[in-house]
Amino acid sequence: MLVGYFTERPYQDPESGFFGATGRSIQDLTLSNADYDSKLGADLYNRYLDEKVYCEEVGFDAIMFNEHHSTPFCMGGVMNVEAAIVAKTTSKVKIVLNGNILPIWDDPLWLAETLATIDMISRGRLVTGWVRGGGRESVAHNAQPPFNWERFQEAHDLVVAAWTRPGPFRWEGEHYDYRYVNPWMRPYQQDPYPLMMVPGIISRNTVAWAARHKYPYVMLSTRLEPTKASFDYYREVAREEGYEAGPEHIGYLWKVHVDETEELAYETGRKFLEGPGNIFLEGSRGVVSPVLQNLPGLTDRNNLLPTGQLGFLASSRGLDQEAAAKSSRARAAQTRAKAVRGAPKATAAPAAPAGPRAGIQAATAASYDEQLANYTITTGTPKTVLPKIRHVLETLRPGSVFFWDGDGAMTHDDTMRSLRLFGSEVLPAVKEMADELGLVGPFERNPMTAPSIAPTKRAAKAPARAKRAPAKR
Amino acid sequence: MTTHTAPKAHTVELAGGEIHILEAGSGPPLLVLHHSTGALGWRPLHEKLAETNRVILPDMPGYSRSTLPEWARDPRDLAILMLQLLRKQGLRDVTLVGLGFGGFVAAEMATMNSDLIGRLVLVGAPGIKPPEGEILDQMLIDHGDYMRMGFRDEKTFQKFFPDLENSDVRSLWEFNRVMTARVCWKPYMFNRRLPPLLPGVEIPTLLVWGEKDRVVPMSIGREYARLLPNAKIEIVKSAGHLVDYEEPEKLARLIQSHAR
């Protein structure tokens, strides 16, 4: 099993440990960076990088970074710079980027060069994940939402080509054009290229795409039952593609805080939901903007995972729950036809707000205790967290796990206590559990070379990647 | 009193897709291009215009019932398709009326120096970077709120859409926004390559702006008036951006006095 550590690197106010010290609500894309203190930023970047180095010392296999833009809940706006630094300041851990937001890159060849450089400096420790980004990211870097999915796929194909195909060659795609692809750097890992991961929460398209490429799919802090159903969907696509997906194809990230006493663990764990935590999380104090999460054409609302159909997620992404549940294109077409037949009738009195804006309160309503009960947050002493971790591992059977800690309003001391206990008592036991349960990680069994279960059928079929790879460029 | 005539619906094959058209009336042809929110069927403005003209109301490509052209990336692409529609329908000397975003497309059509367009009417049309103010960005607000801002005030909006949250029209606007985002995401609702071409457009042009337009600044109307050699501007005092909803009769009279 691959065991990693993750934090969003929140921008914390030093006085209270709560970003709310400004007295303003944390609504997505409503905060001005006039409030940004770069001396505080300097302290925090250095703190988070130091904690990453400590993760290696205590025995984590991987440190995971993520990227968001124009928001205080994640300082990783330029995740690749952080990755480049730890490439030099660590020596063993895998550097997992979950992930670069492909559609917002206008020049993915530059991204391919950046990542290849990180892979070389780290001597082959890069794991490069890809995400589509939310509305916030599309707005912050002004990438057209209707082309988000197309650009995701084409940018990926271009990066793979730049890493695997001897140059120079031309790339003339739908969204990217290059007359000279021949980067004078290639990844350290060349068999065939660094492991790619796909983290996500909501889109069936993305899960299917990951399964077709045999890339591990990492569910991000979603509830256990729908997460399990989403993994089942991955396995279903894998079977259609002619292979059996194993634990090496499945990853899960969730919030785990370990502390010296049960009381301290409980009280510190509460800080996950305080301060500038990720506004998509249940119980967070942030307020999501349904408009930004529902940009035109960003997510096909008829293509949601079971996790995306959960009320809190659907509404926190600004999606109408009914639309999420009734995935019928025909219905959408009928509605459209009905709407254009004539002007709306002036009949009923103005209705109370419903639709996409309703349910935002519900989105943040799940209490800390409810989350402890449904396993999206786990806290305790090493002795008491281990059975809970075991329950998650048995339920989901992931080959990669990422423990999400040190977030929200947690201080450096909170984080370091937890990391120390992880190292001395939790990680060795988790490794034993994983071995006992047969949870093989992606570095123990290469997910890309999963054996075929129907050789004849598969031979007749072109490999998934070749389907989209441009013929001759 | 004119007899109320239901419009005829038909489709035209264009660039591998279908264009859905509503049509009624007889006389000189008059093409109406809808707002970015789409045409909500046959409305009082069309009814009034059909008393004097043959009124043709297409759903532009990618809007409402017309096929989405996957390749289109620019309002200019829609302009080319709409000129192809005129030629295919054998229409000449057309009075071209563009409402809001439809006016942007109409202005692009006019720069192509087609002899198919006899008169041009732009109503609250974007297309030019506003010398003063900003065009209201529908991508950053709820699409119901965007429509709300189209009216002169809340009361008028409520008169037209009293139960918006439960209305199917919301899903239509949401659907149509996707096409707008495909062709108009950036720059938002203008084209830097349009103003330099406008002095070459000799078509007699009527510019109509609602005095209380909160969506497209009137500075754009004045810029069109400055750049187009044969243009005049009319301000409708009682209207916001959606002059066609709020003052259909006044707008119809202005168009009819300018039209062929």
Side-chain angles (χ1 to χ4, degrees), chain B residues 15 29 31 41 54 62 91 106 118 175 182 189 210 212 218 225 229 249 252:
Chain B
L31 184 80
R54 175 185 169 196
L91 300 168
F175 177 85
R182 292 177 76 95
M189 283 288 172
K212 292 171 180 157
M218 205 184 293
E249 299 203 355

Side-chain angles (χ1 to χ4, degrees), chain A residues 142 144 174 301 335 343 350, chain B residues 73 162 171 174 181-182 185-186:
Chain A
N142 218 12
Q144 268 173 296
E174 185 68 25
R301 56 173 54 203
T335 306
Chain B
R73 293 287 185 274
S171 60
E174 186 170 0
R182 292 177 76 95
W185 177 261
K186 62 182 174 185

Side-chain angles (χ1 to χ4, degrees), chain A residues 80-101:
Chain A
N80 296 334
V81 167
E82 296 173 86
I85 292 166
V86 296
K88 189 65 186 169
T89 59
T90 61
S91 58
K92 298 193 299 279
V93 283
K94 302 291 182 190
I95 300 163
V96 180
L97 306 182
N98 266 342
N100 271 288
I101 307 160

Side-chain angles (χ1 to χ4, degrees), chain B residues 2-22:
Chain B
T2 322
T3 323
H4 185 96
T5 319
K8 233 176 24 203
H10 63 105
T11 55
V12 172
E13 180 88 11
L14 199 64
E18 270 191 354
I19 301 294
H20 189 275
I21 294 172
L22 290 179

Side-chain angles (χ1 to χ4, degrees), chain B residues 219-233:
Chain B
S219 66
I220 293 180
R222 288 193 289 268
E223 196 64 2
Y224 271 119
R226 188 178 73 79
L227 292 166
L228 289 162
N230 288 314
K232 59 179 176 177
I233 187 162

Side-chain angles (χ1 to χ4, degrees), chain A residues 29 106 138-139 141-147 150 174-175 291-292 294-297 301 319 331-332 335-357, chain B residues 22 39-43 59 64-65 70-73 138-143 145 148 158-163 165-172 174-178 180-186:
Chain A
L29 295 195
D106 283 334
S138 289
V139 168
H141 284 269
N142 218 12
Q144 268 173 296
F147 303 129
E150 289 174 25
E174 185 68 25
H175 295 280
V291 171
L292 293 173
N294 196 23
L295 290 175
R301 56 173 54 203
L319 296 167
R331 187 182 172 276
T335 306
R336 231 158 62 221
K338 194 173 156 195
V340 292
R341 273 201 290 271
K345 280 175 265 174
T347 48
R357 267 178 295 183
Chain B
L22 290 179
L40 285 184
W42 198 251
R43 298 186 43 77
D59 290 331
S64 302
R65 286 162 293 194
E70 297 276 344
W71 50 270
R73 293 287 185 274
Q138 66 179 299
M139 305 305 167
L140 295 182
I141 59 173
D142 176 82
H143 37 287
D145 289 340
R148 175 176 273 112
Q158 287 294 340
K159 192 181 104 188
F160 283 92
F161 300 102
D163 189 20
E165 293 296 345
N166 297 309
S167 166
D168 288 332
V169 81
R170 273 192 78 94
S171 60
L172 176 76
E174 186 170 0
F175 177 85
N176 283 334
R177 260 173 15 129
V178 175
T180 306
R182 292 177 76 95
V183 295
C184 240
W185 177 261
K186 62 182 174 185

